[in-house]
Amino acid sequence: MLSQMGMMVILSLSYNMLLCQSGLFSLCHATFFGMGGYATAHLLTAIGDDGLPLPMELVPLAAGIAGLELAVIFGYMATKQRATAFAMITLGIGELMTTAALMFHHFFGGEGGVTTNRMIGRSLFGLTYASGIQVYYLILAWTLIAAAAMLFLTHTPLGRMANATRDNFERAQFMGYDPRRVRFLQFVLSGLFAGIGGGLYAITYEIVTFDALAAPLSANALLMAYIGGAGAFGGPILGAVLITLLQSGVSLMSNSWLVYVGVLFIAMVIFAPQGIMGLVMAHGPIVRAGQFGRLAVPYLRVIVPGIFMVLGFVGLVELTSFLTIGAAQGKTLILFGRRIDVHASLPWLLASACLLGGGLWLRPEARAFRRVWEGLMIELKPQRSAA
């Protein structure tokens, strides 16, 4: 799971180079991740069978170069446009590559994908990478390297101009910069880092299929960046950790985990568009002013009905899901540590009561919390202005 988090951190951070830093809504980002994976699978086979002199520690870099090369080709076309037109072009690119992965078996392997063996016998440190812990440390090292490089890029003139073209491309063009070139460079560099993540994916699982470059993975990158908070560098990292936990943990407990991810995403878009990291950062001035204690009781009054709402929602989703799928398979529903009879009325009534009652209770408490929050902001405004 930690290895998966490392790969997803690289993927989400590289996607955020487009989404937040450049204002580009890409729907094909998994293409470069998958290409890095396919290139790594073939490269590992070449090293093991043909004796290509490349140590394992540098294989992810080669995967990144493969992602970069593909990003150069597609970026030349896609970055001629921006906004909706750019998104439509990238959607077409993603579907094109997914279809190609299923059609061209020689490179992509079709539905079965491409298998490889990471024990190539070449390492700068004498490692065999036979155990998962060795692979994990390789992923950890490349995650830190990639994250540091992407953080550095945000402070370069290119990173600043990417922000400028995102905010007002006409003014950036008037100042003598070419917005298309800025978009192209950001697109290519994001492909480089996504390819590194794909290379680590291939090393970990020793198989790459068309799922590694399909639309669901691009959607995952968007979820990670947005839920974590695209406006802060650490937001996509937090989002990658959260989504990976949901995929690895909640998916083992419930077949409806995708419903929860979807509802979480909708809730974040509506109520917290700045993401989880944005919510944390919004509390910064209050904490620095020593006023966070004043929010303890309002938060408690919001959290309690919120918990009832969540419990009711989870109960209804699990009851409905089990009634349509689990019951037909002769299984028994275990919910909150108790055996539940989905055909009885009581579980449905309790879940509905928790959901509706919690919602009705939460509404006035949320309004009261908002008044307290706005009052704090008004009180702290003179202090922030003076600072």
Side-chain angles (χ1 to χ4, degrees), residues 47-107:
I47 296 173
D49 296 346
D50 303 330
L52 190 66
L54 184 68
M56 174 65 83
E57 290 78 11
L58 297 182
V59 168
L61 180 60
I65 294 174
L68 181 145
E69 291 173 348
L70 189 65
V72 168
I73 298 171
F74 288 138
Y76 180 78
M77 298 181 292
T79 55
K80 289 180 180 291
Q81 300 294 334
R82 62 183 187 89
T84 304
F86 174 85
M88 293 297 99
I89 293 173
T90 57
L91 176 62
I93 291 172
E95 293 303 314
L96 170 68
M97 289 302 299
T98 303
T99 304
L102 294 172
M103 290 177 58
F104 303 117
H105 291 208
H106 183 72
F107 182 80

Side-chain angles (χ1 to χ4, degrees), residues 129-300:
Y129 292 100
S131 64
I133 190 65
Q134 292 180 352
V135 177
Y136 165 70
Y137 282 121
L138 176 66
I139 292 174
L140 177 62
W142 272 105
T143 300
L144 294 174
I145 292 170
M150 284 184 272
L151 178 60
F152 172 77
L153 281 171
T154 61
H155 299 289
T156 61
L158 174 62
R160 300 300 188 190
M161 285 312 304
N163 296 157
T165 56
R166 172 201 65 195
D167 296 336
N168 194 327
F169 80 98
E170 292 178 342
R171 179 172 292 182
Q173 193 172 22
F174 179 78
M175 292 171 60
Y177 292 92
D178 184 358
R180 180 187 175 276
R181 180 176 296 180
V182 174
R183 292 196 297 268
F184 174 75
L185 292 175
Q186 284 287 104
F187 191 89
V188 168
L189 290 174
S190 70
L192 166 70
F193 291 111
I196 292 175
L200 296 172
Y201 176 92
I203 292 171
T204 302
Y205 298 111
E206 298 180 290
I207 183 172
V208 184
T209 65
F210 73 97
D211 295 319
L213 48 72
L217 187 57
S218 294
N220 261 0
L222 170 63
L223 287 173
M224 294 170 193
Y226 201 95
I227 290 176
F233 183 81
I237 299 176
L238 181 61
V241 171
L242 178 61
I243 296 299
T244 304
L245 286 173
L246 287 173
Q247 290 177 338
S248 302
V250 179
S251 62
L252 297 177
M253 298 183 290
S254 171
N255 294 325
S256 306
W257 69 274
L258 281 173
V259 174
Y260 304 131
V261 174
V263 170
L264 175 62
F265 180 69
I266 294 172
M268 295 300 296
V269 172
I270 295 175
F271 300 109
Q274 69 272 40
I276 297 174
M277 189 62 73
L279 290 176
V280 174
M281 294 175 64
H283 289 77
I286 298 175
V287 174
R288 287 191 292 271
Q291 300 294 319
F292 186 73
R294 293 174 59 181
L295 292 176
V297 174
Y299 261 126
L300 183 62

Side-chain angles (χ1 to χ4, degrees), residues 301 359-369 371:
R301 295 176 62 180
L360 293 174
W361 184 8
L362 179 62
R363 190 171 182 179
E365 297 297 343
R367 290 176 177 173
F369 179 85
R371 289 193 294 270

